[in-house]
Amino acid sequence: MTSRPSFIRRYLLFVAVYATAIGIYLWYASGHAVPEAYKGTAADPATFLTPQRLAQSQTYSAAGNLLFFLSFPWEWGSI
């Protein structure tokens, strides 16, 4: 029965490393820039959002994406 706690610890360690890697990617490495072809058009959020709302939108988007990607190992492990 000692193999069960070992598996759970390894799984929780995997989830922690996965969450950290995805979090770092979403907050620091993913781009939030609008493509050049759409800058200044109606598709550009900078044309209808204040700079503060635009920053909030990017933060909420990253948080939503993080929650989405963190749900995968949660479902895989059936915790």
Side-chain angles (χ1 to χ4, degrees), residues 30-74:
S30 66
H32 296 288
V34 175
E36 282 297 321
Y38 297 111
K39 284 192 178 183
T41 66
D44 184 3
T47 60
F48 55 87
L49 291 176
T50 64
Q52 180 185 8
R53 293 287 183 180
L54 190 57
Q56 262 183 342
S57 169
Q58 292 171 350
T59 301
Y60 292 154
S61 175
N65 289 336
L66 179 65
L67 290 174
F68 173 78
F69 282 110
L70 292 184
S71 69
F72 284 128
W74 188 266

Side-chain angles (χ1 to χ4, degrees), residues 1-54:
M1 235 17 186
T2 60
S3 66
R4 183 80 173 148
S6 176
F7 171 76
I8 292 172
R9 284 189 188 128
R10 279 188 269 142
Y11 179 75
L12 291 176
L13 179 65
F14 164 75
V15 170
V17 170
Y18 174 79
T20 302
I22 291 294
I24 289 171
Y25 170 74
L26 290 174
W27 255 273
Y28 298 110
S30 66
H32 296 288
V34 175
E36 282 297 321
Y38 297 111
K39 284 192 178 183
T41 66
D44 184 3
T47 60
F48 55 87
L49 291 176
T50 64
Q52 180 185 8
R53 293 287 183 180
L54 190 57

